[in-house]
Amino acid sequence: MRGTPTLLPSGAHAPGAQHALDPDRLWIRLARALVGVAALVALIQKTLDATLPTNDVDIPQLYSEFTVQSNLAAALVLVASAAWPRTRLPRWWDHLFGALAFYLVMTGIIYVVLVAPPEEPWWTLELYWPQMIHHRIVPLVMAIDWLLVTRTVRGRWWRPLAWIAYPAAFLAFSWIRGGIDGWYVYSFLDPTLDGGWPAVLVTTGEVLAAFLVVAFLIHLAGNVRAALAGGGRRRAGPERP
C-alpha cells in the first residue's frame, strides 16, 4: 500500500532536525501566520495614517514605496504558507519565498544604511510601530525562515538575476513617477537634490551592486539549505512498505 508523500527526501541529513523544521510543523505555521498578520495590520495602520491631513505621504505615495510593496507581498505569502500544507503549494513557491526574503533583507539593510536617522536605535518603544514591523521584524523573520526552515527546491545559477528584475523595475517606476509629479519615494533617488543625477546614479549603482551580492548570497544559502535536506526535489516519491 502506498504511503503519504513526504516533503523530506529519504537522504535528508539530521532527519530529526529536518522534521522539527518542516514547514508543515504547527509552530512554524503559527509563527508565519502571526508575522504575516502583523505586517498586514501595520500596513492598515500606515494606510489610515496616510489619510490624515498632517501626514506628508498620501495613499498613492505610500503604496509606491518598496518597503510597503515587499511587505505586502511577504505578508500574503507568509499567511498562505501558514494556511496550506507545503505539498499543496506549487514547486515555484520556494523561489517566490526566496525572492521575498531577499527583498525584505535589502529593505532592512537600506533602511538602516540610507533612510533611518543615524541616532535611531535598533529597538525602541518610541519608534513608530509599523516601521518597526516593516523595517526590522519582517526582514529578520524572513531571513531566519529562509535559512532554517526545511526546503528542498534548489535554484539555478540565474535565479538571483531573476530576483533583481523587480528592484530594477521599481527604480524605473520611481524615476518616471518622480519626473511626472516631482515626488521621489526615497531621497537617494531624487535628482533635484544636491549632486543631481551624477550623485543619484552613483548611489543607485552602489545599491544595485549590494542587491546583486545579497541576492547571490541568499540564493546560495537556499541551495545549501536544500542540500542539507537531502537534495533538489520538493518531495520524495511515495514510500513503500
Side-chain angles (χ1 to χ4, degrees):
M1 183 174 62
R2 293 177 180 270
T4 302
T6 175
L7 174 68
L8 300 178
S10 58
H13 299 284
Q18 303 298 346
H19 179 66
L21 295 170
D22 188 304
D24 289 336
R25 296 282 287 183
L26 179 60
W27 73 271
I28 290 178
R29 295 175 72 173
L30 288 176
R32 286 174 166 177
L34 177 63
V35 176
V37 170
L40 291 175
V41 172
L43 182 55
I44 292 172
Q45 182 65 61
K46 282 186 173 182
T47 303
L48 292 175
D49 290 345
T51 65
L52 300 176
T54 56
N55 200 312
D56 58 356
V57 176
D58 59 26
I59 290 179
Q61 292 171 341
L62 176 68
Y63 283 85
S64 296
E65 295 179 2
F66 186 89
T67 296
V68 168
Q69 294 174 8
S70 58
N71 268 277
L72 175 58
L76 295 176
V77 165
L78 285 170
V79 170
S81 298
W84 285 281
R86 181 62 186 90
T87 53
R88 294 277 303 277
L89 297 171
R91 182 177 176 82
W92 48 260
W93 194 258
D94 282 350
H95 301 312
L96 174 62
F97 202 104
L100 292 170
F102 161 51
Y103 301 149
L104 267 298
V105 167
M106 288 308 303
T107 294
I109 292 174
I110 290 176
Y111 178 75
V112 170
V113 174
L114 294 176
V115 178
E119 69 279 1
E120 182 177 287
W122 165 259
W123 189 276
T124 172
L125 294 177
E126 296 179 0
L127 184 63
Y128 179 52
W129 68 267
Q131 295 285 72
M132 176 69 72
I133 290 176
H134 285 168
H135 288 109
R136 303 284 171 79
I137 294 177
V138 177
L140 182 62
V141 168
M142 291 294 289
I144 292 173
D145 191 307
W146 181 249
L147 292 173
L148 296 184
V149 174
T150 300
R151 44 185 44 87
T152 57
V153 176
R154 300 191 191 193
R156 302 289 295 275
W157 66 267
W158 46 263
R159 181 169 67 172
L161 301 179
W163 288 350
I164 288 289
Y166 164 57
F170 178 84
L171 279 175
F173 161 76
S174 298
W175 283 329
I176 292 172
R177 177 191 171 119
I180 293 173
D181 65 9
W183 182 83
Y184 293 87
V185 60
Y186 301 115
S187 60
F188 65 87
L189 296 179
D190 188 349
T192 66
L193 300 179
D194 293 342
W197 276 109
V200 167
L201 293 177
V202 168
T203 303
T204 300
E206 294 171 347
V207 169
L208 284 177
F211 263 79
L212 193 58
V213 170
V214 174
F216 272 100
L217 290 175
I218 291 178
H219 159 73
L220 290 175
N223 282 352
V224 169
R225 188 66 187 87
L228 291 175
R233 295 173 297 157
R234 180 167 71 95
R235 70 185 80 167
E239 297 176 347
R240 298 179 184 275

